Amino acid sequence: MSAFDLTPEQTKWVDKTLSAMSEEECIGHLIMPETKGSMTEEKWAELVRKIPIGTAFFGFGRTPEEHAEAKRKIDAIQENSRYPVLIAADMELGFDGGTRFNAAMAYGAVNDPDLLYKIGKALAQEARAFGVHWTFAPVVDRQLNWHNPETNTRAYGESVELIKRLGKAHIMGLQDGGIAATAKHFPGAGMDDRDQHGCTSCNWCTMSEWHDTYGAIYREMVHEAKVKTIMPGHISLPAYEGMLGIDPAACMPATLNRKLMVDLLRGEIGFEGVIVSDASPMIGITTRVHRQQMAVEFIVNGGDVFLFSDAEMDFNALLDAFKRKKLTADMLREKTKRVLELKAWLGLYKKSDCDGKPVTKQQAKKHEAIACEMAERSIQIQKNDGALPLKLKAGSKVLVVDGYYKHSTRPINLDVVVEELEKRGLKVDRLINPSTNELLEAHSKYKHVFLNIQVKMHNLFGATRLAGNLPDLFWNSFWMFRKSKTVTFTSFGTPYLLYEIPHLPNMVLAWSDTPDAQRAAVRAWFGEIPSTGVCPVTLPRGHGINTKS
């Protein structure tokens, strides 16, 4: 039985198309190159004419100019391809250029499947209008190990039932909205204190534990949510190979592991949709197989679409594997058929339907209202010394201090916080990553200080801790020199800051730095909205929160 429940018309298109495709065209459907700055629309058109790719990955940037350039490239791909090309993007926080939604852990803090369904559907409508058909979301990992540098706020939380409930709603919203969702990262991240971007990380469950937790999550996504695609991570599951207490480092990641992709995911879980690899440059896979053979090993071991492909190299490697019969004709046709079924399910069998309907201004306002509701309901005042809610008179001088890793690849932008404070009549000065001495010298000039910290996945590779320059903001504890209740601490990322510095007087959790998260944080500071979010992870012992109060 197919995972796609196609109509007779769609099935006919799949069968007719597959029978007309050459081996080279089938191979092209198994690789997914990504857009790069050097890839102009002319170069994309040339690539598509040379190598018959079936899918492509895009990032869209933030500016209107970047969006227009990306759209021209997508149009060039579609115009020069014999068959419609699936366009994919990584949209965990929303569609670039559309509504920005909060981090997944904010969804866990709210725990409202109906609202998350609406978010999924809104995101899908915005993406489809641009010609994007496939998102590499949601993350259905469990945030179990607070040291894990990869999962953190990308996960809904730690509870299996929470993840099943929210993952199902999220996927159904996305897919009812017209794009394919991807459950990731099979067999499940969040247990290791290492990152699959840096090595082959491990899921440390016994198989009994795995089937009761991660396995239960994936069964829900496959059989109840009807997810169309799954992304294995560069993550091993030593227990499945009998290596848990022997030599777990010898186990191959799921992306190269036939036992995990075929025996477990397809055989035991019963998944019949498309398997797409996680990113090919990640160290968790590049240290396990030569790059020239990586696509081949992923495909022959159970995968369908190889992500971030070097199109020419991978196409030639797969063609050579086909000629050597390592990639058999039956295997090739079976995998190509799954990709064609995904295209048919998305309506791409009619090339004129590659783009969806434009999003109206009324719809865009509705989407923004949904994002705002989620952000406001997710706010949690994790600890309060009585300072909150604030009562600052108009004209008061306040200092906003933004802290993030100085060498961050994704620096925080809290301009909206400043705008919102100024709207309330406050006179705002701002310091970004000040030194200890700068902060000690400045703070006494202000009625109130807002210390805003962002620690989240891959701001600093390998860390979601108060590392690098961030301890400078707390060195000498400047707030101890002030009148009490005149400093507000907010995390625009990880919920674990109070474990690292448990004696801070207060902490507000906003989960990310999206504009709506910033507005919600300011509103919570002033008591304009209640604190209704519930942290969906367990803080380590010694976190400094008086649970009795």
Side-chain angles (χ1 to χ4, degrees), residues 192 194-201 234-235 282-285 287:
D192 208 332
R194 298 168 299 176
D195 181 348
Q196 60 162 326
H197 294 74
C199 72
T200 302
S201 59
H234 309 310
I235 303 166
M282 290 160 59
I283 305 170
I285 190 171
T287 53

Side-chain angles (χ1 to χ4, degrees), residues 334-349:
E334 178 187 18
K335 295 172 184 297
T336 305
K337 184 176 182 179
R338 273 195 285 267
V339 179
L340 291 176
E341 287 177 330
L342 179 57
K343 290 184 179 185
W345 178 81
L346 287 162
L348 302 188
Y349 63 102

Side-chain angles (χ1 to χ4, degrees), residues 289-296 313-314 317-318:
V289 65
H290 195 286
R291 179 61 187 87
Q292 289 181 330
Q293 289 301 308
M294 194 182 292
V296 173
M313 178 177 69
D314 294 329
L318 286 163

Side-chain angles (χ1 to χ4, degrees), residues 25 261 343 437 535:
E25 287 172 324
M261 286 195 281
K343 290 184 179 185
N437 289 336
C535 184

Side-chain angles (χ1 to χ4, degrees), residues 153-442:
T153 56
R154 298 174 74 198
Y156 301 124
E158 65 187 39
S159 161
V160 172
E161 292 305 314
L162 175 81
I163 296 166
K164 285 167 59 177
R165 184 166 54 248
L166 296 184
K168 177 182 175 181
H170 202 168
I171 286 167
M172 292 180 71
L174 289 164
Q175 295 188 163
D176 287 353
I179 65 174
T182 306
K184 64 182 185 183
H185 306 83
F186 184 84
M191 298 187 77
D192 208 332
D193 58 2
R194 298 168 299 176
D195 181 348
Q196 60 162 326
H197 294 74
C199 72
T200 302
S201 59
C202 294
N203 182 305
W204 297 110
C205 285
T206 66
M207 286 315 299
S208 175
E209 291 169 340
W210 188 88
H211 279 294
D212 288 343
T213 56
Y214 289 94
I217 291 167
Y218 275 96
R219 285 191 292 272
E220 184 81 7
M221 301 309 107
V222 170
H223 298 292
E224 300 301 323
K226 308 294 185 185
V227 70
K228 304 308 176 190
T229 79
I230 286 178
M231 177 182 286
H234 309 310
I235 303 166
S236 68
L237 182 59
Y240 197 65
E241 301 179 66
M243 299 289 280
L244 185 58
I246 301 172
D247 187 10
C251 297
M252 281 294 189
T255 40
L256 298 171
N257 195 319
R258 187 171 183 82
K259 289 182 179 179
L260 295 183
M261 286 195 281
V262 177
D263 297 348
L264 183 57
L265 180 55
R266 293 215 187 276
E268 296 189 41
I269 298 299
F271 179 62
E272 296 180 340
V274 171
I275 297 178
V276 58
S277 77
D278 208 338
S280 57
M282 290 160 59
I283 305 170
I285 190 171
T286 57
T287 53
R288 310 307 299 276
V289 65
H290 195 286
R291 179 61 187 87
Q292 289 181 330
Q293 289 301 308
M294 194 182 292
V296 173
E297 292 302 316
F298 169 71
I299 295 296
V300 300
N301 281 297
D304 297 314
V305 177
F306 184 66
L307 178 60
F308 293 176
S309 169
D310 180 319
E312 189 166 355
M313 178 177 69
D314 294 329
F315 177 83
N316 288 331
L318 286 163
L319 184 58
D320 178 68
F322 177 77
K323 291 176 179 177
R324 291 186 290 110
K325 294 185 170 37
K326 182 170 184 175
L327 173 60
T328 67
D330 287 346
M331 191 186 298
L332 177 59
R333 294 279 166 175
E334 178 187 18
K335 295 172 184 297
T336 305
K337 184 176 182 179
R338 273 195 285 267
V339 179
L340 291 176
E341 287 177 330
L342 179 57
K343 290 184 179 185
W345 178 81
L346 287 162
L348 302 188
Y349 63 102
K350 299 176 181 178
K351 204 168 183 181
S352 59
D353 288 350
C354 285
D355 292 0
K357 296 179 181 178
V359 175
T360 65
K361 289 183 178 179
Q362 184 177 6
Q363 286 175 316
K365 286 183 179 180
K366 184 178 178 180
H367 298 172
E368 180 53 45
I370 295 168
C372 179
E373 180 183 352
M374 178 61 81
E376 291 189 349
R377 289 175 59 188
S378 73
I379 292 289
Q380 182 185 20
I381 299 177
Q382 196 178 31
K383 184 179 182 179
N384 188 5
D385 61 347
L388 301 173
L390 299 177
K391 297 176 182 178
L392 293 172
K393 295 180 180 179
S396 297
K397 287 184 65 178
V398 300
L399 176 65
V400 172
V401 181
D402 300 342
Y404 57 86
Y405 300 126
K406 282 185 177 178
H407 301 292
S408 173
T409 57
R410 304 169 184 177
I412 190 172
N413 181 340
L414 294 182
D415 292 348
V416 174
V417 165
V418 174
E419 293 169 7
E420 290 296 315
L421 292 175
E422 290 176 340
K423 284 180 183 177
R424 289 161 175 78
L426 301 175
K427 296 180 180 178
V428 183
D429 287 335
R430 188 178 188 182
L431 291 174
I432 297 177
N433 283 330
S435 69
T436 301
N437 289 336
E438 287 174 321
L439 191 50
L440 284 171
E441 291 172 7

Side-chain angles (χ1 to χ4, degrees), residues 123-154:
L123 189 160
Q125 289 171 345
E126 293 180 357
R128 193 62 194 260
F130 201 84
V132 178
H133 319 113
W134 187 1
T135 177
F136 296 148
V139 171
V140 293
D141 297 323
R142 301 179 69 205
Q143 175 51 27
L144 294 172
N145 186 339
W146 83 278
H147 292 288
N148 186 287
E150 175 190 5
T151 308
N152 205 271
T153 56
R154 298 174 74 198

